[in-house]
Amino acid sequence: MKDQPTDFIREIIRQDLESGRFDHVHTRFPPEPNAYLHIGHAKAIWINYSIAQEFGGLFNLRFDDTNPMTEEAEYVDAIIEDVRWLGVDWGDRLFFGSDYFEQTYQWAVELIKKGKAYVCDLSPEELIETRGTPTRPGIESPYRNRSVEENLELFERMRAGEFPDGARTLRAKIDMASPNILMRDPVMYRIRHASHHRQGNKWCIYPMYDFAHPLQDSIEGITHSLCSLEYENHRPLYDWFLDQLGIYHPRQIEFARSSITHMVMSKRRFIELVGGGYVSGMDDPRLPTLAGLRRRGYTPEAIREFCSRIGVAGKSKVESTVQIALLEDCVRDDLNKTASRVMAVLDPLKVVITNYRSHDNEEPASKLSPGESTPSHTQDGVEYLDAVNNPEDPSAGTRKVPFSREIYIERDDFREDPPPKFYRLAPGREVRLRYAYFIRCNEVVKDADGNIIELRCTYDPATRGGDAPDGRKVKATIHWVSAPHSIEAEVRLYDHLFSKPDPDDVPPGGSYIDNLNPQSLVTKTCRIEPSVIGAAPGTRYQFERLGYFCVDPDSTPERLVFNRTVTLRDTWAKIEKGMKEGSK
RNA sequence: UCCGGGGUCGUCCAAUGGCAGGACAACGGCCUUUGGAGCCGUCGAUCCUGGUUCGAGUCCAGGCCCCGGAGCCA
């Protein structure tokens, strides 16, 4: 294990273990099954899970499904898939808060018997009115002092379905003058005649989060209930229910949420973006949903690494905004070590190698290197060159790449009038074709409008493989594909969904929608070496010098579709940008 | 306005009264058959004002600023 991470939560847990408050560690991730998980959830999952792991403890996956109006089984499946994909193991501890409804009900009855809860007939509007404000205390409900017997009877009748939605609630009897508004006799149960995704029509009263959550944690023997900062104000209530009931009492600790620049991170906005047609769905590769990131080509390792690197806000428990560059660095770092390299040309420019032809009868067999079983130049003017699959990982091996008289190179890799520091191909200049030969550009062919449509070059047969026997150097190595052997594929070039780091940075009256990046998806047809034929969706590659790409599920046997996960660092782009800004 | 939480490099996170450190970004260099990767270096911060202390980012007081809170959501 690397350096033991430390943060205020782990510190508190260490102290709890030392003091004997707890003798083990047991955490949980409690999503409500009402939305797709996003990378913010990944942080919560990872904090809970990694802490359990480090302390040799247990981790539960629990669905907090106490509101039948918003929850659906579809989300349960999607969430399970996402959490599993992240690489988190909950063993056999997959639970549902709704499975505890009977116990929850019994505890509510117990609180009624203790005079700590009462049935209230106030309407939702009246409840709001009597709750007071931050500066003004609330006023007590006229039903606050009903007898235990009456409360018991009413609560039973609520369960029996005798009252319509909203007619009554069960409330905790705490303090209507508390400066913490959550303590002003909060609602514990509400009436909802609705079908529950798991319980069906068994219940028509449902516990509120504040009542249900501490009970769920208690039932499962959770030691440390790690949740996000917005629950800080809820902690006194969490503790109150547990104390009144006198049951096993986990400790709630809050951590800061993180957002990421150039992204939005809420269910509501995901729905707006999908509904407005700005993205294709909840798994659009531009969305920070786990499903979207997965489709984009992100690895679970990269996301876990990101969660570790952003850490847990310690004493500075303030919501942080992490730069997207950090996320991108994490995925590059992982993919660099694992992704197979392949050559693809996004914006093809044809190059004819005028002195390359069938070497049939021209090339004596004696020129073949020892052990080589086939001629390096075949009758149809094709030869197969060795290319390394991953320079970071020798065990990834090599492959053969076809080379011929007509190839494509990247249009960006040629300049008729090269600026300073541009090392690639230009008239009269020599570059290396990766794993192939040195070529020199002799002629630029243009169409009637003056557009460059073809380059005519010569190659140096002595440089086969990429080294010149005479020791001469070239300043650039460019990628290429053989024109007749390469295949066509669709590439979806993704960029940040929002142009500004903060999507909410808009003039008064504006909307984050205004900050949508019109270039967040650019679709192109590229040419790619034939080794990728048959690649399964989800397969990740590095397109040399361009970036990391992942096969999309939209692919068909006839036509592959690739998503660009992230570009490579592009030093030349930076230089070019610097020159442009310098000349302004 | 009341309650709760909080302000450390551009960003995220450390420093548990004792040399303010790391990562990402930026910048410069080395290296390179990916202008990739790697390696080396540079830049760069304790919100303000007092106080306690041999010594304060850390403790105390006052101020300023930011976040959360008035769902029968979670």
Side-chain angles (χ1 to χ4, degrees):
Chain A
M1 189 177 278
K2 288 180 285 187
D3 290 338
Q4 195 71 235
T6 188
D7 54 64
F8 78 104
I9 295 179
R10 282 170 238 252
E11 204 47 51
I12 290 171
I13 292 175
R14 267 188 271 276
Q15 287 167 11
D16 284 348
L17 259 18
E18 270 174 38
S19 71
R21 176 168 175 174
F22 296 105
D23 62 3
H24 67 289
V25 173
H26 197 153
T27 62
R28 101 271 95 114
F29 174 61
E32 181 185 18
N34 73 342
Y36 282 80
L37 257 29
H38 55 65
I39 193 164
H41 294 109
K43 176 180 180 176
I45 294 167
W46 194 242
I47 287 174
N48 277 287
Y49 181 66
S50 62
I51 284 178
Q53 291 258 290
E54 282 165 35
F55 287 91
L58 297 171
F59 167 87
N60 295 1
L61 175 58
R62 177 171 76 227
F63 286 94
D64 200 350
D65 53 352
T66 57
N67 185 351
M69 311 298 280
T70 57
E71 296 152 7
E72 290 167 33
E74 171 206 345
Y75 292 117
V76 172
D77 299 335
I79 289 170
I80 287 175
E81 186 188 353
D82 286 347
V83 178
R84 183 171 289 143
W85 176 75
L86 245 198
V88 164
D89 178 18
W90 54 87
D92 58 356
R93 292 175 306 284
L94 170 63
F95 300 118
F96 291 83
S98 61
D99 288 348
Y100 311 139
F101 277 172
E102 183 58 38
Q103 174 67 268
T104 309
Y105 177 85
Q106 293 305 330
W107 273 326
V109 168
E110 195 176 326
L111 285 180
I112 292 172
K113 287 178 179 165
K114 286 182 169 172
K116 298 294 183 183
Y118 62 96
V119 173
C120 180
D121 300 359
L122 253 25
S123 69
E125 297 72 30
E126 291 168 322
L127 210 55
I128 291 169
E129 282 167 27
T130 54
R131 185 154 27 226
T133 70
T135 50
R136 181 166 44 82
I139 53 175
E140 294 186 352
S141 164
Y143 307 99
R144 196 173 202 260
N145 295 309
R146 283 215 253 238
S147 68
V148 169
E149 292 67 32
E150 190 183 2
N151 281 323
L152 250 17
E153 185 209 323
L154 252 16
F155 188 46
E156 206 177 310
R157 291 171 60 195
M158 279 170 65
R159 177 182 184 170
E162 289 189 29
F163 311 115
D165 288 4
R168 293 181 216 262
T169 57
L170 182 72
R171 291 225 265 164
K173 192 191 283 191
I174 307 180
D175 178 11
M176 289 307 291
S178 171
N180 182 348
I181 295 175
L182 289 164
M183 300 296 276
R184 319 237 261 230
D185 288 12
V187 173
M188 294 164 59
Y189 267 93
R190 75 284 219 187
I191 300 172
R192 286 263 191 282
H193 291 272
S195 179
H196 185 277
H197 76 96
R198 188 172 174 84
Q199 306 297 332
N201 295 313
K202 189 173 173 191
W203 294 88
C204 63
I205 56 172
Y206 291 89
M208 298 286 289
Y209 166 86
D210 280 313
F211 183 52
H213 203 83
L215 271 32
Q216 294 166 4
D217 284 343
S218 183
I219 289 168
E220 293 179 15
I222 300 303
T223 55
H224 299 272
S225 182
L226 312 178
C227 60
S228 51
L229 230 41
E230 68 261 38
Y231 294 106
E232 210 162 16
N233 293 331
H234 297 246
R235 187 171 0 115
L237 230 200
Y238 182 98
D239 291 335
W240 189 88
F241 283 124
L242 262 12
D243 287 343
Q244 296 306 317
L245 257 9
I247 57 178
Y248 170 75
H249 196 146
R251 199 219 275 229
Q252 173 178 309
I253 304 172
E254 308 84 17
F255 57 84
R257 293 218 274 197
S258 296
S259 54
I260 301 176
T261 59
H262 302 280
M263 285 184 170
V264 292
M265 202 78 80
S266 75
K267 176 198 173 189
R268 197 195 90 227
R269 287 180 167 186
F270 294 162
I271 290 172
E272 285 169 4
L273 290 167
V274 173
Y278 303 109
V279 297
S280 63
M282 286 296 171
D283 66 345
D284 187 289
R286 289 165 293 183
L287 252 24
T289 53
L290 261 20
L293 290 164
R294 179 165 60 230
R295 190 168 175 185
R296 175 86 170 246
Y298 272 77
T299 59
E301 290 79 6
I303 291 172
R304 282 191 245 123
E305 175 64 15
F306 175 74
C307 292
S308 298
R309 285 209 225 166
I310 63 177
V312 180
K315 55 186 177 183
S316 61
K317 293 201 292 181
V318 67
E319 173 148 352
S320 56
T321 303
V322 181
Q323 291 177 332
I324 200 166
L326 183 65
L327 214 209
E328 293 171 345
D329 185 69
C330 290
V331 75
R332 281 195 195 101
D333 193 41
D334 185 37
L335 259 18
N336 176 48
K337 294 176 197 134
T338 57
S340 285
R341 265 118 251 227
V342 112
M343 289 196 283
V345 176
L346 262 31
D347 190 6
L349 173 60
K350 190 188 229 179
V351 171
V352 177
I353 300 164
T354 54
N355 61 335
Y356 187 90
R357 65 183 69 83
S358 169
H359 289 242
D360 189 26
N361 299 328
E362 289 176 24
E363 186 129 338
S366 62
K367 280 197 78 176
L368 295 176
S369 51
E372 201 168 7
S373 58
T374 53
S376 58
H377 297 72
T378 71
Q379 285 206 302
D380 26 336
V382 184
E383 63 183 310
Y384 290 85
L385 301 163
D386 287 313
V388 171
N389 287 331
N390 187 346
E392 302 291 316
D393 176 13
S395 72
T398 63
R399 67 187 185 285
K400 297 283 187 186
V401 196
F403 181 80
S404 68
R405 187 170 185 268
E406 292 194 0
I407 62 172
Y408 291 114
I409 66 166
E410 207 70 61
R411 193 165 280 275
D412 281 350
D413 285 340
F414 175 79
R415 287 293 184 85
E416 196 170 16
D417 187 15
K421 293 187 179 170
F422 182 88
Y423 303 143
R424 283 111 97 149
L425 200 59
R429 201 181 269 184
E430 189 173 52
V431 298
R432 170 167 40 231
L433 295 177
R434 176 139 237 227
Y435 300 125
Y437 297 95
F438 286 10
I439 58 168
R440 186 180 300 279
C441 175
N442 303 306
E443 192 185 341
V444 179
V445 182
K446 297 181 181 178
D447 65 11
D449 298 326
N451 301 309
I452 299 171
I453 53 169
E454 185 181 307
L455 261 26
R456 301 184 77 81
C457 300
T458 49
Y459 84 121
D460 177 355
T463 57
R464 183 172 198 252
D467 282 312
D470 64 4
R472 74 182 190 277
K473 302 288 183 197
V474 287
K475 293 210 83 171
T477 301
I478 64 175
H479 60 276
W480 53 275
V481 293
S482 166
H485 304 93
S486 60
I487 59 166
E488 240 182 41
E490 179 179 330
V491 282
R492 298 175 180 170
L493 305 175
Y494 293 106
D495 194 2
H496 303 156
L497 220 207
F498 293 92
S499 303
K500 293 188 179 175
D502 176 9
D504 284 318
D505 178 11
V506 286
S511 155
Y512 72 102
I513 295 289
D514 303 339
N515 280 330
L516 243 14
N517 174 11
Q519 301 293 312
S520 66
L521 169 58
V522 174
T523 301
K524 289 191 156 190
T525 300
C526 77
R527 306 288 313 191
I528 182 165
E529 63 168 79
S531 69
V532 299
I533 290 172
T539 308
R540 302 181 183 93
Y541 293 100
Q542 182 195 98
F543 288 5
E544 293 220 34
R545 303 209 303 135
L546 297 173
Y548 295 98
F549 291 75
C550 179
V551 180
D552 191 83
D554 284 350
S555 298
T556 64
E558 295 74 37
R559 187 180 173 83
L560 286 168
V561 177
F562 289 93
N563 295 319
R564 183 173 68 195
T565 309
V566 68
T567 61
L568 253 30
R569 283 203 192 81
D570 190 344
T571 306
W572 167 244
K574 204 179 281 182
I575 292 169
E576 204 176 21
K577 192 181 168 212
M579 289 194 305
K580 272 182 194 159
E581 280 168 8
S583 64
K584 266 180 200 166

